[in-house]
Amino acid sequence: MQARITVTLEELMLLKADARGFSLLPRQPAGSLLSGRHASRLRGRGLAFAELRHYHQGDDVRTIDWKATARLRKPHVRVYNEERERPVLLVVDQRSPMFFGSRLSMKSVAAAELAALGAWRALDGGDRVGGIVFNNEELIEVRPHRSQTRVLQLLHVIEQSNNRLAEAAFTGGEVTLNHALQRALQVAKHDHLVVLISDLDGADDETRQLAALLSAHNDVLVVAVYDPLGISLSGSPGMLASDSTAIREVPVGTEFSQRFQDAFQQRLDQWKEIFRVLRVPVMPISTAHSVPAQVRAILGNHPRFS
């Protein structure tokens, strides 16, 4: 199978058919990464107050409104309805470090596919869908709305940024992961589901602080996109690596390979611990396998992906 360098709008639209068999809601199946031993802080949809009514036998005593009960001299309970149309904000990384891949696709393509799957799934669930797509030079915001037109607008923005990577159109730019999270904070005031899709390149202490602010009033899910070669890079004579802005020769020898693996593992452990403390679930997605299959294996009811 030919490696996929870029993605088209048509391909992202066709992923609508694959956006089933999984859920972005907090009730994850046993064995899911999101139901691991560390309690996730995914809260799901919020509850909106509906009415105050008389207590009926069988009502949950925890719903009794004691102030109203004392004032009206009869037991009263507060009734809530589950909020509909929860806003889902997809923060999609399309910077030049995402233009890397050694197997089935570039990280940028995998991120685009993940965003499309999330957008279609959220829309099908009745949620509002929006996003922040960021590349080296700009942040493009699509406000959440419950409509297919808005989803297509978001996918079109993703396609444009994705294709610019292959054209080497980014000659500079200073947009960082933290800039994208700062914009997300402006959009997602509360009760959003914020899905960050990135390889976390450039993450630092400010990233941790921004993630903490976001998760204080929203559900946050981090999708960490990685490439197998990015985990265990070993050089051979003449081997070159490019990130679309520069080409470098990969040193030969086991020492470089071991240092590379150690540095990657150290970075991975650091961010796993940071998000564990924040109780923000992290979903790893590899460029070596089909993205829809991995998403269903992690968030769905299908057997674990291997």
Side-chain angles (χ1 to χ4, degrees):
M1 182 180 292
Q2 187 175 4
R4 301 179 59 218
I5 306 301
T6 59
V7 71
T8 66
L9 178 60
E10 182 180 8
E11 289 171 333
L12 297 178
M13 291 171 62
L14 289 174
L15 284 171
K16 184 177 183 179
D18 289 310
R20 58 187 64 178
F22 67 92
S23 173
L24 296 174
L25 295 175
R27 291 192 184 91
Q28 301 300 328
S32 163
L33 263 182
L34 307 188
S35 63
R37 54 196 175 93
H38 302 301
S40 164
R41 202 163 62 180
L42 282 179
R43 290 158 288 198
R45 301 170 194 270
L47 295 175
F49 175 72
E51 63 174 339
L52 190 68
R53 63 162 172 78
H54 289 294
Y55 173 84
H56 297 152
Q57 187 174 3
D59 283 341
D60 189 338
V61 295
R62 292 174 297 181
T63 63
I64 293 177
D65 186 320
W66 294 106
K67 289 185 177 178
T69 296
R71 186 173 66 254
L72 300 172
R73 298 180 181 278
K74 286 185 178 179
H76 280 72
V77 296
R78 295 174 69 86
V79 178
Y80 296 87
N81 290 331
E82 187 178 58
E83 288 182 340
R84 296 185 180 277
E85 298 186 7
R86 179 180 60 169
V88 176
L89 188 69
L90 301 159
V91 183
V92 188
D93 190 347
Q94 292 289 305
R95 294 173 297 162
S96 54
M98 294 288 286
F99 195 61
F100 179 84
S102 63
R103 302 293 177 87
L104 191 62
S105 67
M106 295 293 199
K107 289 188 289 184
S108 53
V109 171
E113 292 182 339
L114 277 160
L117 286 170
W120 289 124
R121 188 74 202 99
L123 182 66
D124 187 58
D127 292 325
R128 287 181 282 154
V129 182
I132 295 171
V133 183
F134 63 110
N135 52 50
N136 291 45
E137 297 175 344
E138 59 183 344
L139 290 155
I140 307 161
E141 179 183 325
V142 178
R143 287 275 175 174
H145 191 268
R146 188 165 70 89
S147 72
Q148 180 162 299
T149 302
R150 188 58 55 89
V151 170
L152 292 176
Q153 180 186 352
L154 175 63
L155 299 186
H156 181 59
V157 169
I158 292 172
E159 180 210 26
Q160 285 185 316
S161 284
N162 184 270
N163 282 258
R164 287 185 67 189
L165 284 168
E167 298 165 359
F170 297 124
T171 56
E174 299 179 348
V175 174
T176 66
L177 176 62
N178 292 338
H179 291 146
L181 292 178
Q182 288 165 0
R183 178 67 67 85
L185 268 172
Q186 297 172 3
V187 176
K189 301 292 186 184
H190 60 81
D191 296 333
H192 283 58
L193 171 59
V194 181
V195 183
L196 172 62
I197 306 172
S198 172
D199 62 356
L200 300 177
D201 182 79
D204 55 18
D205 190 57
E206 184 182 359
T207 308
R208 182 190 62 76
Q209 296 174 27
L210 292 168
L213 291 173
L214 264 177
S215 62
H217 301 289
N218 302 283
D219 294 331
V220 178
L221 171 63
V222 174
V223 181
V225 184
Y226 71 97
D227 184 88
L229 188 62
I231 298 175
S232 55
L233 181 62
S234 56
S236 56
M239 182 175 176
L240 302 175
S242 170
D243 62 357
S244 81
T245 59
I247 298 176
R248 301 176 180 84
E249 184 172 357
V250 179
V252 179
T254 57
E255 183 180 351
F256 167 77
S257 178
Q258 188 60 50
R259 288 206 315 270
F260 189 89
Q261 291 183 40
D262 291 345
F264 182 90
Q265 189 61 48
Q266 184 179 8
R267 177 180 171 80
L268 179 64
D269 292 343
Q270 174 193 2
W271 282 102
K272 283 169 65 177
E273 175 61 17
I274 287 172
F275 288 123
R276 187 193 67 79
V277 171
L278 296 175
R279 291 193 292 167
V280 170
V282 179
M283 187 171 84
I285 291 292
S286 169
T287 61
H289 305 290
S290 158
V291 170
Q294 291 181 82
V295 170
R296 283 195 294 271
I298 296 172
L299 297 176
N301 298 316
H302 295 261
R304 291 281 299 165
F305 188 83
S306 59

